[in-house]
Amino acid sequence: MDLGIAGRKAIVCASSRGLGRACAHHLAAAGCEVIVNGRDKAKTESTAAEIAKATGAKVTPVIADVSTAAGQAALFAAMPEPDILVNNNAGPPFRDFRELDRQKMIDGVVANMIVAIELIQKAIDPMSAKKFGRIVNITSGSVKMPIGGLDLSSGARAGLTAFLAGVSRQVAANNVTINFILPGSFDTDRLGHNMESVAKNQNITVEQARAARTATVPARRFGQPDEFGAACAFLCSAHAGYITGQNLLIDGGAFPGAF
Ligand SMILES: NC(=O)c1ccc[n+]([C@@H]2O[C@H](COP(=O)([O-])OP(=O)(O)OC[C@H]3O[C@@H](n4cnc5c(N)ncnc54)[C@H](OP(=O)(O)O)[C@@H]3O)[C@@H](O)[C@H]2O)c1
């Protein structure tokens, strides 16, 4: 399918690896000019070069911490008026909620709620003026199905979802959409590290930990980042202008509700 976004400009935050990288790759494959972002210089540059080689698109690495004002300024200096913004950031570490002091809670809310809002504030008016904008926020399946120990992540991301539910209706008439993709278990570095700690804590092998987690997913497998990137690119496409304020759960059927 031609997504109808060739020539569009896309900032994909936190995209040197994992789900963000897959989104950047699919947008580049659709003909977009893409900013790839991460804090690790070598990894961010190699990812940008690999995506450019595979797709023929212009892909620019921006080494920056998206959580900081300087990092956000660097992203917008490299691409001042993006047509597409994919918000992504690291999630807070797994922790019992009793261990969260005030500063840790503030850091989590900043990383998984405030940063996305700040970036949208910077991007949205030029999108509205151009009558085209696509904003996708990578959140988590935990927004709908909380996971003990990831309470800060769930709460901050649910806050972002509610905040932007209103904003999405304010800009819909300008063909600017704001949607959310909620990953379940995707086979990325983050999931790999999580499986390593589960294995260590339960004194089992990593393979056993992966098998136990996979058994909880009706699809009986982890998602592949490529599947996630394809869905993201569709939500950013010319065809998706009537989809806004929506939460797309991609979890192999793990969420057990009908709605
Ligand atoms: N994978 C899953 O199954 C899953 C499930 C639910 C939710 N999620 C959420 O989805 C998001 C992406 O997860 P993932 O699995 O793709 O993670 P990942 O494999 O660990 O990749 C994270 C990416 O974000 C970049 N990054 C992290 N912090 C950054 C910062 N402050 N500034 C700029 N770049 C930053 C990393 O690069 P650098 O380290 O070089 O900065 C890397 O490119 C996370 O918020 C995660 O919590 C994932």
Side-chain angles (χ1 to χ4, degrees):
M1 181 194 271
D2 178 356
L3 295 182
I5 48 175
R8 295 287 184 189
K9 294 176 187 293
I11 294 179
V12 186
C13 302
S15 52
S16 61
R17 292 182 280 114
L19 304 179
R21 175 183 171 136
C23 296
H25 191 116
H26 275 268
L27 289 169
C32 295
E33 180 184 336
V34 176
I35 298 292
V36 161
N37 161 242
R39 293 162 301 176
D40 183 284
K41 186 173 188 294
K43 185 63 193 162
T44 307
E45 288 177 351
S46 65
T47 294
E50 285 161 23
I51 295 175
K53 190 173 176 205
T55 62
K58 181 177 177 192
V59 184
T60 306
V62 173
I63 293 92
D65 182 341
V66 73
S67 293
T68 64
Q72 295 179 15
L75 287 168
F76 280 83
M79 187 175 277
E81 294 194 357
D83 304 295
I84 294 166
L85 171 66
V86 179
N87 278 321
N88 189 28
N89 200 354
F94 198 86
R95 206 175 252 131
D96 186 288
F97 81 94
R98 295 171 191 80
E99 294 168 17
L100 297 170
D101 61 22
R102 176 174 285 208
Q103 191 56 51
K104 287 193 181 83
M105 287 192 263
I106 290 170
D107 291 346
V109 172
V110 167
N112 292 128
M113 178 178 175
I114 293 175
V115 167
I117 295 168
E118 288 173 337
L119 291 163
I120 290 171
Q121 286 173 327
K122 292 178 172 62
I124 208 157
D125 286 341
M127 288 179 175
S128 286
K130 284 187 279 185
K131 299 280 187 272
F132 183 93
R134 298 286 183 264
I135 297 169
V136 173
N137 302 282
I138 299 178
T139 61
S140 173
S142 73
V143 169
K144 288 192 74 142
M145 192 167 69
I147 301 167
L150 289 178
D151 313 280
L152 181 54
S153 165
S154 308
R157 297 180 203 268
L160 177 70
T161 308
F163 189 108
L164 295 177
V167 176
S168 67
R169 273 73 183 182
Q170 290 175 41
V171 294
N174 296 327
N175 188 27
V176 176
T177 67
I178 304 179
N179 290 294
F180 307 83
I181 309 185
L182 288 59
S185 297
F186 274 83
D187 211 353
T188 64
D189 290 352
R190 178 178 167 89
L191 187 83
H193 296 143
N194 184 252
M195 290 296 99
E196 282 165 18
S197 26
V198 168
K200 198 172 160 200
N201 292 342
Q202 298 183 3
N203 202 21
I204 56 176
T205 65
V206 174
E207 289 67 31
Q208 287 169 323
R210 290 176 70 93
R213 173 73 78 86
T214 310
T216 67
V217 182
R220 297 289 182 264
R221 66 178 179 87
F222 293 141
Q224 291 305 313
D226 188 57
E227 300 173 278
F228 190 95
C232 176
F234 178 75
L235 286 178
C236 296
S237 76
H239 313 299
Y242 211 51
I243 303 173
T244 196
Q246 299 304 304
N247 287 277
L248 176 61
L249 194 55
I250 311 185
D251 68 350
F255 177 71
F259 302 102

